Amino acid sequence: MQERKALHTLLAQKQEDLPPKKMKDSYIEVILPLGSQPEIREKYLNVHNSVRFGRILEDLDSLGVLICYTHTKHESHQRSPLSIVTALVDKINLCKKVIYPDCDIKLTGSVSWVGKTSMEVKMHMLQEYDGVYSPVLDATFVMVARDPENKRSAFVNPLIPDGPREEEVFKQGALNKIKRTDFSTASLLKMAPTAEERNIVHNMFLNTLDTRTVSFRSRVLPPNSVWMEDAKLKGLQICHPQERNIFNRIFGGFLMRKAFELGWATACNYGGSRPFIVSVDDIMFQRPVEIGSLLLLSAQVCYTEKNYIQIRVHSEVYDTDTKEHKTTNIFHFTFMSENEVPQIVPKTYGESMLYLDGKRHFNAIMKETREAMNAPAAA
């Protein structure tokens, strides 16, 4: 950190002082040689003889940061004076159920949109099979720029689209920001549920009343259902120095991997069969995790539909000195089980809000999936 203090002289006082960049300037292509170098395969292998998705989350986080450093690199010094921090995993959508452990993986990406101090990064993952690279997933991350010591915001190079395709990508990045703002504004922590959502909750409540007692307090679980309070798992992680980043904080990719693995275990336990990840969305990094922290993870099934399971993982740190709990992240994962799963049923008002929030995330993901499937035909 002492060395990084000298980089303050390279910071721009306003964004206009920085040279504009194009998307191709930050483009990076990386090969993960699982097929050609079997010795690295062990790190990525899971018990089902496919690739651990948690490891892919770590790689995407690292690649996103590297792409942003490339975009903001100071040409004369061949390095970036900035500290790049992951602010948000906007979405990761998968189009393959299984990632093979013995075929090379290609990761590509570039900066797709730029604000004053933030950057959106789009990344794609493909896997080679029979000599052809086929799409596996698309990811959108949002990174923020800080000064060399990670103490305050810093300006980033403007992005100039080159041609109609890049203009469309840039325009989509701006729309994504508006969508995120709208979704946050309509949060159930800030606004009451809609009339339609209130009806859903009330109908679920009526469906659990005991008709024999005709009492608001007497509740009966409907057939093929599970109370929400019985569909959760918890985990504890001691944050060792091994998982630190250059700022002596815990690496964001590590947090995502741990949250995903607990979420997967929760979906597996709930559905009674192997779940497959469909989508990751809206992971907000609210505060850094210090080395030595006790990281408490709580995974909750919050919405189900047919064979889909929506999981919410709450991450918080516990300070042993102050006895305080502080939220660091909320993770949202959509899994698809091999079989149809029981319906999750909330019992309290708080659980009903978790249910509606899970339903909102699930519906948004399904809408995007349908639009993506229809896009090639429309084009």
Side-chain angles (χ1 to χ4, degrees), residues 70-176:
T70 305
H71 175 80
T72 58
K73 184 171 60 179
H74 202 282
E75 295 302 331
S76 59
H77 292 78
Q78 286 301 299
R79 65 184 299 188
S80 171
L82 304 176
S83 300
I84 305 296
V85 180
T86 307
L88 172 74
V89 178
D90 189 13
K91 56 195 166 192
I92 303 174
N93 293 328
L94 289 90
C95 55
K96 290 281 179 68
K97 285 175 66 175
V98 176
I99 306 173
Y100 301 107
D102 55 354
C103 299
D104 284 2
I105 286 173
K106 182 193 291 184
L107 295 166
T108 68
S110 65
V111 172
S112 52
W113 178 85
V114 164
K116 292 286 187 182
T117 61
S118 62
M119 294 164 279
E120 181 190 89
V121 179
K122 283 198 177 296
M123 292 172 283
H124 309 280
M125 177 173 147
L126 306 96
Q127 185 159 43
E128 186 182 27
Y129 194 76
D130 287 340
V132 178
Y133 276 102
S134 300
V136 175
L137 65 79
D138 297 315
T140 305
F141 282 47
V142 177
M143 308 291 187
V144 293
R146 312 278 291 170
D147 71 1
E149 297 176 271
N150 194 18
K151 291 182 177 178
R152 60 181 178 84
S153 300
F155 293 112
V156 298
N157 299 69
L159 183 66
I160 298 180
D162 186 10
R165 180 188 161 277
E166 289 191 3
E167 286 175 3
E168 189 62 34
V169 171
F170 189 85
K171 180 181 175 183
Q172 186 59 51
L175 289 174
N176 287 342

Side-chain angles (χ1 to χ4, degrees), residues 191-209:
M191 293 183 64
T194 64
E196 181 184 356
E197 289 174 331
R198 290 196 294 271
N199 283 334
I200 290 172
V201 170
H202 190 65
N203 288 334
M204 292 186 75
F205 172 72
L206 294 178
N207 199 35
T208 63
L209 289 181

Side-chain angles (χ1 to χ4, degrees), residues 171-373:
K171 180 181 175 183
Q172 186 59 51
L175 289 174
N176 287 342
K177 184 182 180 183
I178 294 170
K179 282 183 183 178
R180 288 191 292 269
T181 302
D182 291 344
F183 203 84
S184 174
T185 303
S187 167
L188 291 164
L189 292 171
K190 300 175 183 177
M191 293 183 64
T194 64
E196 181 184 356
E197 289 174 331
R198 290 196 294 271
N199 283 334
I200 290 172
V201 170
H202 190 65
N203 288 334
M204 292 186 75
F205 172 72
L206 294 178
N207 199 35
T208 63
L209 289 181
D210 190 342
T211 55
R212 295 171 300 177
T213 62
V214 196
S215 167
F216 284 119
R217 292 188 176 184
S218 184
R219 308 286 292 278
V220 176
L221 188 66
N224 193 33
S225 301
V226 176
W227 290 121
M228 189 179 283
E229 64 186 18
D230 298 324
K232 62 175 70 172
L233 288 178
K234 294 190 176 184
L236 167 67
Q237 189 72 37
I238 301 173
C239 299
H240 296 292
Q242 179 187 0
E243 309 300 342
R244 66 187 170 186
N245 58 23
I246 61 171
F247 310 113
N248 248 7
R249 304 274 180 51
I250 298 300
F251 171 47
F254 170 78
L255 301 175
M256 284 195 284
R257 174 162 67 87
K258 287 300 177 182
F260 167 78
E261 289 173 351
L262 184 64
W264 184 92
T266 306
C268 184
N269 183 55
Y270 185 85
S273 62
R274 179 187 178 186
F276 296 91
I277 183 68
V278 174
S279 181
V280 181
D281 80 304
D282 196 27
I283 299 176
M284 180 74 75
F285 288 81
Q286 297 182 21
R287 67 175 67 241
V289 177
E290 304 291 342
I291 294 171
S293 298
L294 295 181
L295 183 70
L296 306 174
L297 297 166
S298 178
Q300 173 75 69
V301 177
C302 55
Y303 181 76
T304 56
E305 187 172 310
K306 297 179 180 178
N307 61 332
Y308 289 98
I309 306 171
Q310 188 72 30
I311 302 282
R312 179 184 190 269
V313 180
H314 178 259
S315 166
E316 62 182 5
V317 288
Y318 174 66
D319 191 315
T320 55
D321 294 328
T322 64
K323 310 298 182 186
E324 287 185 316
H325 291 256
K326 294 181 180 178
T327 298
T328 61
N329 302 83
I330 303 292
F331 303 86
H332 300 276
F333 302 108
T334 306
F335 291 95
M336 181 172 63
S337 185
E338 292 177 325
N339 306 308
E340 189 161 327
V341 300
Q343 183 182 9
I344 197 75
V345 181
K347 189 180 282 187
T348 66
Y349 185 80
E351 288 179 348
S352 297
M353 295 304 99
L354 285 178
Y355 180 90
L356 293 178
D357 187 58
K359 180 175 171 60
R360 286 182 178 184
H361 282 280
F362 177 77
N363 288 344
I365 289 158
M366 292 298 106
K367 180 183 177 184
E368 278 193 10
T369 302
R370 288 192 297 270
E371 289 174 352
M373 290 176 66

